[in-house]
Amino acid sequence: AGGGGHYPSGSVATRERRAVDWRGKLYLAPLTTVGNLPYRRVCKGYGADITCSEMAMATNLLQGQASEWALLRRHVSEDVFG
């Protein structure tokens, strides 16, 4: 699903993609209402290798709801984030 130039420069579609090696990694599953950035940072401090936020709703993002956009915030320590 290359995109054929339909994405802005620097978007995820135009960056190099790499496979995630899950072996030996501690994965923090998405958690509804508590999978926010501060909680994920605590989990990183306790050894989580891969963090994941709760699902964001596209309609709320398109409407510009700040609370929904907050779900997508990522800390620099979250090197693998979904």
Side-chain angles (χ1 to χ4, degrees), residues 35-38 40-41 53 66 68-75 78 81:
N36 56 21
L37 179 59
R40 294 191 318 266
R41 288 184 69 187
S53 75
E68 204 72 16
W69 280 101
L71 297 174
L72 304 180
R73 288 181 48 223
R74 169 176 106 43
H75 189 262
E78 293 180 287
F81 171 73

Side-chain angles (χ1 to χ4, degrees), residues 26-31 35 39-40 43-44 48-53:
L26 181 59
Y27 176 77
L28 177 67
L31 302 165
Y39 181 77
R40 294 191 318 266
C43 292
K44 282 293 287 185
D49 296 303
I50 301 171
T51 57
C52 188
S53 75

Side-chain angles (χ1 to χ4, degrees), residues 1-66:
H6 299 293
Y7 297 95
S9 178
S11 72
V12 174
T14 60
R15 292 186 203 145
E16 180 182 337
R17 295 180 187 186
R18 58 189 168 106
V20 175
D21 183 3
W22 299 88
R23 292 173 293 186
K25 300 280 194 285
L26 181 59
Y27 176 77
L28 177 67
L31 302 165
T32 303
T33 70
V34 295
N36 56 21
L37 179 59
Y39 181 77
R40 294 191 318 266
R41 288 184 69 187
V42 168
C43 292
K44 282 293 287 185
Y46 279 103
D49 296 303
I50 301 171
T51 57
C52 188
S53 75
E54 66 179 277
M55 182 176 66
M57 299 294 293
T59 52
N60 295 345
L61 293 170
L62 291 171
Q63 292 170 357
Q65 292 183 16

